[in-house]
C-alpha cells in the first residue's frame, strides 16, 4: 500500500516519528509526515527525513523555533529581519510566541536579541541536536553568546579598574554585586566565575581568582569552559571545544 502523507507543523511530533523510524517501528505504517512552510505556503515541502526521494530536489531547508513550529529557513530569516528592522520583538509567525533572549517581559532581564532557530535534520540518522522546545520543558536563556562575552569583558575591566584604584577584593565584589554602575546584574554563573567561593563555600576571604593583571583572559576562559558544558542550546551551536577567536574569545 502506498504511504499517505500527513501534514505536520510541530517539531516534537516530527522528532518522535524520526526516533521511532530509526527503531524500525514505523508508527502508522501507511502514513508519513510532510511539512510545508506557513509563511510562503509553497507547494514544495520542507526537507526532512520523511521527504520521499523524488521530492528531495525541490524541497526547502527548514528550521524549528523554540515554540516547536517549523518553516522554511529562508522565509524565517526574512520574517526575523522584518521584525528586527521594525524595532519589534521577534515572534513565531504561527503562534506569536516571543523568541528573544529574556527571562521576562522586562528588557533589563535579557539582551532581547532574536533567539537561535535550529536547522531541521534532513536524514533519518542525522544527529538530532535541537534543544528541548517549550512544551518539552526547554527554556530560552536570558543572554545570547555575544552578549555573554561582552558582559564578561565588562566585568573583567571593572574588576581590574577597581583593583587599580586600591579596592580590596571584598570591596570589589560588593561594588560589582550591588551596584556595577547601576547597569549590570550579574548572573549566577558570572558571580561564580568572578568571585568563586573559598574551600569553606563562603566569600569571607581573599579570592585566588581572577588573578590580578590577567582578569580578562581568566574570565573569558571560564566562559569558554561553561559553553562547552552547556553544549548546544537555544543560544546556538557551540564548537567542541570553542576554537580561539570563537565569539571574541582570545
Amino acid at each position: 500500500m502506498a504511504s499517505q502523507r500527513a501534514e505536520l507543523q510541530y517539531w516534537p511530533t516530527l522528532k518522535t516519528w524520526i526516533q521511532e523510524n530509526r527503531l524500525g517501528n514505523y508508527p502508522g505504517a501507511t502514513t508519513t509526515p510532510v511539512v510545508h512552510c506557513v509563511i510562503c505556503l509553497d507547494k514544495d515541502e520542507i526537507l526532512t527525513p520523511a521527504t520521499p526521494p523524488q521530492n528531495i530536489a525541490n524541497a526547502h531547508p527548514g528550521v524549528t523555533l523554540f515554540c516547536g513550529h517549523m518553516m522554511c529557513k529562508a522565509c524565517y530569516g526574512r520574517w526575523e529581519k522584518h521584525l528586527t528592522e521594525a524595532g519589534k520583538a521577534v515572534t513565531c509567525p504561527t503562534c506569536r510566541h516571543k523568541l528573544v533572549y529574556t527571562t521576562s517581559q522586562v528588557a533589563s532581564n535579557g539582551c532581547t536579541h532574536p533567539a537561535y532557530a535550529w536547522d531541521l535534520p534532513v536524514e533519518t540518522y542525522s544527529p538530532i541536536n535541537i534543544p528541548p522546545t517549550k512544551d518539552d520543558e526547554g527554556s530560552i536563556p536570558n543572554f545570547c553568546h555575544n552578549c555573554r562575552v561582552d558582559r564578561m569583558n565588562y566585568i573583567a575591566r571593572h574588576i581590574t579598574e577597581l583593583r587599580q584604584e586600591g579596592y580590596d577584593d571584598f570591596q570589589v565584589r560588593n561594588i560589582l554585586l550591588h551596584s556595577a554602575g547601576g547597569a549590570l546584574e550579574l548572573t549566577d554563573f558570572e558571580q561564580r566565575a568572578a568571585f568563586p567561593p573559598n574551600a569553606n563555600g563562603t566569600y569571607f576571604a581573599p579570592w585566588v581568582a581572577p588573578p590580578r593583571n590577567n582578569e580578562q583572559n581568566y574570565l573569558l576562559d571560564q566562559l569558554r569552559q561553561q559553553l562547552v558544558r552547556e553544549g548546544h542550546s537555544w543560544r546556538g551551536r557551540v564548537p567542541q571545544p570553542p576554537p580561539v577567536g570563537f565569539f571574541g574569545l582570545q
Side-chain angles (χ1 to χ4, degrees):
M1 183 187 302
S3 176
Q4 297 178 343
R5 309 297 303 283
E7 190 72 34
L8 274 185
Q9 295 296 338
Y10 191 53
W11 160 246
T13 306
L14 177 61
K15 179 176 69 173
T16 298
W17 185 91
I18 295 171
Q19 291 170 333
E20 290 295 319
N21 209 22
R22 288 178 176 179
L23 296 174
N25 294 336
Y26 305 103
T30 61
T31 303
T32 57
V34 58
V35 182
H36 286 97
C37 181
V38 297
I39 299 178
C40 66
L41 303 177
D42 196 304
K43 64 180 179 63
D44 291 321
E45 64 186 276
I46 290 174
L47 184 61
T48 74
T51 302
Q54 66 271 21
N55 293 357
I56 289 177
N58 294 325
H60 305 295
V63 294
T64 184
L65 310 179
F66 171 68
C67 55
H69 290 114
M70 300 178 287
M71 58 211 64
C72 290
K73 184 173 185 176
C75 287
Y76 179 71
R78 289 190 289 268
W79 170 264
E80 179 186 291
K81 184 174 185 288
H82 166 72
L83 292 177
T84 301
E85 291 180 346
K88 299 178 181 179
V90 175
T91 59
C92 170
T94 299
C95 67
R96 296 301 191 266
H97 187 87
K98 184 180 286 188
L99 302 171
V100 297
Y101 297 105
T102 181
T103 54
S104 74
Q105 300 298 315
V106 181
S108 61
N109 288 341
C111 67
T112 70
H113 291 136
Y116 193 84
W118 277 85
D119 292 345
L120 291 172
V122 297
E123 297 178 351
T124 299
Y125 292 96
S126 298
I128 299 178
N129 294 320
I130 298 171
T133 55
K134 174 172 66 70
D135 289 344
D136 288 333
E137 299 184 356
S139 62
I140 295 180
N142 50 352
F143 297 104
C144 65
H145 283 317
N146 287 334
C147 286
R148 293 176 84 187
V149 172
D150 289 343
R151 287 169 61 88
M152 198 60 86
N153 275 320
Y154 172 86
I155 293 167
R157 288 195 303 269
H158 213 53
I159 291 174
T160 301
E161 291 169 358
L162 290 170
R163 283 173 164 175
Q164 290 174 348
E165 291 173 13
Y167 292 97
D168 64 35
D169 282 349
F170 188 76
Q171 292 172 315
V172 170
R173 177 177 180 271
N174 283 339
I175 292 171
L176 272 173
L177 295 186
H178 301 300
S179 67
L184 191 68
E185 181 179 346
L186 271 62
T187 65
D188 289 342
F189 165 71
E190 289 166 348
Q191 290 187 42
R192 293 194 306 272
F195 307 107
N198 59 27
N200 297 322
T202 66
Y203 296 95
F204 299 102
W207 288 268
V208 295
R212 289 180 179 273
N213 304 317
N214 196 34
E215 291 89 350
Q216 185 178 35
N217 287 338
Y218 173 86
L219 290 179
L220 288 178
D221 187 61
Q222 293 296 301
L223 179 56
R224 180 189 288 110
Q225 294 178 41
Q226 179 68 9
L227 293 179
V228 173
R229 287 191 292 268
E230 291 176 2
H232 299 319
S233 74
W234 288 103
R235 291 191 177 97
R237 293 181 179 274
V238 177
Q240 302 292 320
V244 171
F246 176 65
F247 283 112
L249 300 182
Q250 301 300 317

